Amino acid sequence: MDKIYHFSAPGRTEIGGNHTDHQHGCVIAAAVDMTTTAEVRLNGTNVIRVDSEGYKPVEIGLNDLSVKESEKNTTAALIRGVAAAFQQRGYKLSGFDAKVKSTVLPGSGLSSSAACEVLLGVIENHLFCGGALDPVTIARMGQKAENVYFGKASGLMDQTASSVGGVVAIDFAEPSAPMVRPLRVDLDALGYALCIIDSGADHADLTPEYDAIPREMREVAACFGKTVLREVEEADVLRELPRLRKAVGDRAVLRALHFFADD
């Protein structure tokens, strides 16, 4: 009988720092007890098959891991992108079958895509790399899959929070090597509870609107000759408000002020 492996990756919630990661800012995030799990078998082929409960099965051939425009915004893109990240690091993958279940609902704001990416990264790290890759590296590989293959310009918070687990403070001043610091938090002792509530809303189809946020923040930074808002002083933005409003519009300016408040 083929050996069966079991893997999981959690969803995440953002505690502090909203849309700060893609501007090289700081966040506090936490993994939650809503997870994506997989039962995995090696299949002896060159094909990765992912059968997610409630969805059509997806197959990806390892002989072609190039970006496919037709796969943008699909699970297939994430599977292909994560596999490509391992291949680019010189690891040899082989086919496997994964039966996936998830309580991280798509469009819920708990980052189901990051949980999927991290899950795939953990599977492939264990099966083909001997566990050589650390959680932040797996997070970065997942982010690349989401940015390049899936087509969403996410920062690195979602993947890092899911991959590292627990409650973490993350400083993205250097995105290729973020500073991740675990936090010891006893919510009960502090008199708090973290509640995940179904609001009835769904942002699964809002990728263009999401992409506008980092783009407009960068437009403000560009007015000061900078790339991201972490490199800009809030006092300079406030002093230059009339010029900025004419150059990039009120929404971009408000988003820049939001960054400073949350960072």
Side-chain angles (χ1 to χ4, degrees):
M1 184 175 178
D2 293 337
K3 185 173 182 179
I4 301 174
Y5 302 88
H6 296 272
F7 302 95
S8 67
R12 70 96 190 100
T13 188
E14 161 201 301
I15 296 173
N18 176 251
H19 289 290
T20 54
D21 54 337
H22 51 65
Q23 298 300 302
H24 299 193
C26 300
V27 302
I28 296 175
V32 296
D33 59 1
M34 303 174 81
T35 61
T36 301
T37 61
E39 183 179 278
V40 178
R41 293 181 178 88
L42 292 168
N43 60 30
T45 73
N46 203 37
V47 175
I48 296 174
R49 303 187 185 98
V50 176
D51 184 1
S52 296
E53 187 176 58
Y55 299 91
K56 291 182 179 179
V58 179
E59 291 190 2
I60 294 298
L62 293 171
N63 59 323
D64 180 8
L65 296 178
S66 60
V67 177
K68 308 293 182 186
E69 288 299 319
S70 61
E71 289 180 350
K72 291 292 176 75
N73 291 291
T74 69
T75 301
L78 300 181
I79 300 169
R80 196 182 301 275
V82 172
F86 278 88
Q87 187 183 76
Q88 289 160 8
R89 282 169 169 75
Y91 293 106
K92 182 174 175 55
L93 306 185
S94 61
F96 60 85
D97 297 335
K99 294 188 72 66
V100 176
K101 295 182 179 181
S102 183
T103 55
V104 187
L105 300 178
S108 64
L110 298 175
S111 204
S112 58
S113 58
C116 176
E117 294 150 17
V118 170
L119 177 68
L120 292 164
V122 170
I123 291 170
E124 291 165 23
N125 186 36
H126 178 82
L127 295 181
F128 310 115
C129 309
L133 303 181
D134 63 88
V136 174
T137 299
I138 291 173
R140 289 175 58 204
M141 295 163 78
Q143 182 202 22
K144 183 175 181 180
E146 186 158 332
N147 291 170
V148 178
Y149 283 74
F150 189 84
K152 184 176 181 179
S154 71
L156 189 56
M157 175 187 69
D158 297 351
Q159 294 84 357
T160 303
S162 177
S163 188
V164 175
V167 183
V168 290
I170 315 169
D171 187 336
F172 291 104
E174 179 46 68
S176 63
M179 295 177 61
V180 181
R181 181 166 56 93
L183 302 178
R184 301 175 69 88
V185 180
D186 185 341
L187 292 179
D188 287 340
L190 294 171
Y192 289 100
L194 177 61
C195 303
I196 306 299
I197 299 170
D198 184 355
S199 68
D202 183 344
H203 67 196
D205 296 324
L206 298 179
T207 296
E209 287 78 6
Y210 178 97
D211 289 346
I213 299 171
R215 185 182 70 248
E216 292 180 2
M217 287 183 175
R218 288 174 184 270
E219 287 174 357
V220 175
C223 291
F224 296 92
K226 306 297 183 180
T227 304
V228 292
L229 288 173
R230 179 67 177 262
E231 303 169 339
V232 179
E233 295 295 330
E234 181 180 15
D236 292 338
V237 172
L238 293 172
R239 186 179 62 251
E240 297 291 330
L241 279 179
R243 177 175 71 90
L244 294 172
R245 293 177 66 189
K246 290 180 180 179
V248 296
D250 283 357
R251 190 171 76 171
V253 172
L254 287 169
R255 285 175 165 166
L257 296 175
H258 168 86
F259 165 81
F260 293 114
D262 264 45
D263 192 53

